[in-house]
């Protein structure tokens, strides 16, 4: 089973452990993706990148440190015919040379990052819209960086336009935080 739920061109969805399509719909209530470029950090199967392109984004870049996940992403990109509108990069977020994009999305990745606060601040410093999707408790890897809203606000340097999405998937809570600067 996929980690992410992935949209398919025939209107169906390939089931995953996480309801990423539902979470994207929640994000899209707050952000207009039309003619915007997106950087999806921790892209996994690139569900958010594909959903953004389906919502009018002009370009999507996916970053993941797992080459197998990027190969899976290429398959879904091919299915949609989005090869010219996408780029996939095999990298850890901490090692990323940050390309300019209109929107940056951190997808369940910040708890894996070394020196997360420093790298988040470095990555987002010139971006107007930043989205964090992250675990807040109840997951086997909870020993990593799981920020409070105040901690994220301090790292981003502004008060957030915040909306929370709670999921019972895998008995965990997921927070969706949207920052529009």
């Amino acid at each position: 089973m996929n980690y992410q739920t992935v949209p398919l061109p025939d209107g169906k969805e390939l089931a995953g452990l996480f309801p990423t399509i539902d979470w994207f719909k929640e994000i899209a209530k707050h952000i207009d993706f039309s003619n915007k470029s997106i950087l999806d950090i921790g892209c996994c199967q690139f569900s958010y990148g594909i959903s953004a392109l389906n919502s009018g984004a002009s370009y999507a870049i996916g970053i993941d440190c797992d080459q197998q996940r990027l190969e899976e992403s290429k398959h879904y990109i091919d299915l949609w015919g989005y090869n010219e509108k996408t780029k996939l990069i095999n990298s850890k977020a901490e090692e990323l040379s940050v390309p300019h994009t209109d929107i940056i999305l951190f997808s369940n990745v910040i708890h894996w990052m070394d020196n997360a606060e420093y790298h988040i601040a470095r990555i987002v410093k010139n971006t107007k819209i930043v989205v964090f999707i992250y675990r807040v408790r109840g997951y086997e890897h909870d020993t990593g960086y799981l920020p409070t809203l105040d901690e994220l606000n301090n790292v981003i340097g502004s008060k957030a336009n915040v909306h929370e999405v709670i999921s019972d998937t895998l008995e965990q809570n997921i927070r969706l935080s949207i920052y529009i600067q």
Side-chain angles (χ1 to χ4, degrees), residues 143-162:
T143 55
Y145 178 67
L146 296 169
T148 65
L149 286 177
D150 286 340
E151 289 170 329
L152 271 182
N153 287 338
N154 288 336
V155 170
I156 299 299
S158 66
K159 288 295 177 191
N161 236 345
V162 177

Side-chain angles (χ1 to χ4, degrees), residues 42-127:
C43 71
C44 205
Q45 282 94 16
F46 206 51
S47 179
Y48 294 112
I50 290 169
S51 295
L53 290 166
N54 289 342
S55 296
S58 58
Y59 197 77
I61 301 169
I63 308 293
D64 206 291
C65 63
D66 185 334
Q67 186 60 41
Q68 179 181 342
R69 298 288 193 205
L70 293 175
E71 293 300 322
E72 294 167 7
S73 296
K74 287 178 189 176
H75 170 73
Y76 299 121
I77 290 166
D78 288 343
L79 283 176
W80 280 96
Y82 284 147
N83 293 304
E84 300 298 316
K85 292 183 171 192
T86 59
K87 180 177 182 178
L88 298 174
I89 301 170
N90 185 289
S91 177
K92 292 176 73 173
E94 302 92 321
E95 299 165 357
L96 181 63
S97 174
V98 185
H100 173 75
T101 57
D102 299 305
I103 300 167
I104 295 178
L105 189 142
F106 288 85
S107 177
N108 281 328
V109 70
I110 57 178
H111 61 284
W112 294 109
M113 293 172 68
D114 295 326
N115 199 3
E117 290 182 5
Y118 169 79
H119 289 291
I120 290 168
R122 178 183 65 82
I123 291 168
V124 306
K125 70 179 180 181
N126 295 316
T127 302

Side-chain angles (χ1 to χ4, degrees), residues 33-49:
F33 285 88
S34 300
N35 300 310
K36 302 276 192 315
S37 56
I38 180 173
L39 174 61
D40 182 356
I41 299 175
C43 71
C44 205
Q45 282 94 16
F46 206 51
S47 179
Y48 294 112

Side-chain angles (χ1 to χ4, degrees), residues 6-14 79-80:
V6 180
L8 299 174
D10 63 4
K12 295 181 181 175
E13 299 174 357
L14 186 60
L79 283 176
W80 280 96

